[in-house]
Amino acid sequence: MQFSLPEIRPKEWVHRIKEEFFPPRILDKYVFSEFVKIFVGALVTLGFLALMSSYSDIKGDLASSKGGKIHGWLFILFRLPQMLIQYIMNIAILFSVSFTVGQFSANKELVAMMAAGISFRRIVTPIVAFSCVLWFAAFFLKQTVVAPLNARANEEHKMLKEGDQNTLVGVVYQKHFKGQEGFYYIYYYDTKEEEIKGGFNYICLTQEQTPDYLLVAQRAKFDYKKEVWVLKSVEETKFDDELQVVSVQKFAEKEYTLPEKPDYFKKLKGSVEEMNFFELSEEKENRMRKGLSYGDVDIAKHTLFAEPLLIVVLTLVGCASGFFTKRMAIVSSLGVSIGVALLYMVMDPSFKSLGENEVIPIWLASWITPMLFLSGLYVVYKRLKV
């Protein structure tokens, strides 16, 4: 018995698509136009609600800010694209698809279309194709527009909170760093004065990875002329090969030659929401070199691809829910939209948290939510047989 794979003919496949969809049929125009009206209306409504929610979140900061209220409005403006792609577009397309298809089903228009010999899959093809376009557009915009605007939004938020006595911005910064010859623990790196304040601890290791000496200082500043670190109020502890304390000395100020320069201790680049794929890869290498955790970076890299796919998933969910709608399409659409949105908001962060804590692989944590939805949809559409 011989097995053979079906021959793939790209030219024939493209020719069939061209004949089927170009020029668009009257039915395609009708279905798509009804969907677009609802989709645009949902985008505008949800966008307005998102703006009101953002204003409510920073209302207290606006009232107490001494940095200028203009920064609050700019923060809302720069944050809007992130909300649009991550939340508003997903909910809008789910509601508009389920409402449009549900309305066709409730008004028996869907029955009439299928009675004319057109399958349900063919009827909703223009909507699904549009969602695929949105998928690629969302991925592209997240790389080129959303990431830099998120960085601007965070800067505006810092400037808004500047001068607020109830909030300390960027003061606490406690981090462990892996150096070339040992490990550092610093409290706060003041970028303006280029000085480490509140605590500078360093343990130097021998080639056998045993402690050589330990430095505990209150402050540390790098002298660029001498290429040395100047430590103040420093306690120096030396160890022998048996890890016994050899000596403990205290100095008001002492110079040390250490492998790392000040740039090594500057804060991480920022939130992963501010980085594109290439910047995330660079950030991961940077954190690995410093011995810092990078689970959130790996999650963000996968999310750049997995998150926009949700647009297609929700479109298919809306089509299936609309098919089973018998009456009151708007009530059913709202119920499905709210239910699916809540389910996603619970599942996605939960799986990502498991990934960051290395309970499950990071790739699985990022992709499992859309894959579970797609698997369920596959079963549903197989049973529809339309």
Side-chain angles (χ1 to χ4, degrees), residues 299 348 351-352 354-355 360-369:
I299 287 285
D348 191 57
F351 284 122
K352 287 180 178 178
L354 292 175
I360 59 177
I362 285 179
W363 65 266
L364 179 62
S366 303
W367 289 95
I368 189 170
T369 302

Side-chain angles (χ1 to χ4, degrees), residues 4 21 55 86 184-185 209 224 226 381:
S4 61
F21 298 102
Y55 172 75
Q86 190 167 356
Y184 299 86
Y185 176 79
Q209 298 299 299
Y224 286 94
K226 298 181 179 179
Y381 277 90

Side-chain angles (χ1 to χ4, degrees), residues 296-366:
D296 58 331
V297 178
D298 277 340
I299 287 285
K301 288 175 68 176
H302 284 281
T303 300
L304 287 175
F305 299 91
E307 197 171 78
L309 179 61
L310 186 66
I311 296 173
V312 179
V313 173
L314 294 180
T315 300
L316 297 174
V317 170
C319 291
S321 67
F323 178 81
F324 293 107
T325 300
K326 300 304 178 185
R327 61 180 66 179
M328 299 182 68
I330 190 169
V331 176
S332 301
S333 303
L334 283 172
V336 171
S337 301
I338 294 172
V340 173
L342 289 175
L343 182 61
Y344 173 79
M345 290 174 65
V346 171
M347 291 176 59
D348 191 57
S350 300
F351 284 122
K352 287 180 178 178
S353 178
L354 292 175
E356 287 187 32
N357 291 295
E358 299 182 353
V359 177
I360 59 177
I362 285 179
W363 65 266
L364 179 62
S366 303

Side-chain angles (χ1 to χ4, degrees), residues 99-215:
F99 178 79
T100 303
V101 179
Q103 197 172 37
F104 290 153
S105 180
N107 296 338
K108 306 303 180 183
E109 292 180 86
L110 198 59
V111 175
M113 295 174 191
M114 296 175 67
I118 305 174
S119 69
F120 177 70
R121 294 186 180 91
R122 176 63 183 83
I123 293 169
V124 299
T125 294
I127 299 176
V128 176
F130 177 73
S131 71
C132 291
V133 173
L134 286 181
W135 173 18
F136 288 104
F139 172 76
F140 177 77
L141 289 174
K142 286 195 72 172
Q143 298 284 303
T144 59
V145 177
V146 174
L149 286 183
N150 281 340
R152 289 290 304 275
N154 290 336
E155 288 298 321
E156 295 295 337
H157 193 246
K158 291 178 182 177
M159 296 177 72
L160 174 67
K161 297 175 76 68
E162 189 174 323
D164 185 353
Q165 296 179 354
N166 297 321
T167 306
L168 298 176
V169 180
V171 172
V172 179
Y173 177 44
Q174 300 177 2
K175 286 289 182 183
H176 292 275
F177 291 92
K178 178 183 177 182
Q180 297 180 30
E181 300 176 359
F183 293 87
Y184 299 86
Y185 176 79
I186 68 173
Y187 182 76
Y188 170 61
Y189 184 82
D190 189 331
T191 54
K192 293 183 178 179
E193 298 183 15
E194 294 190 347
E195 184 176 12
I196 295 173
K197 300 178 180 179
F200 177 90
N201 306 301
Y202 175 67
I203 181 168
C204 181
L205 302 179
T206 64
Q207 293 183 351
E208 290 75 25
Q209 298 299 299
T210 58
D212 185 13
Y213 63 87
L214 171 67
L215 302 178

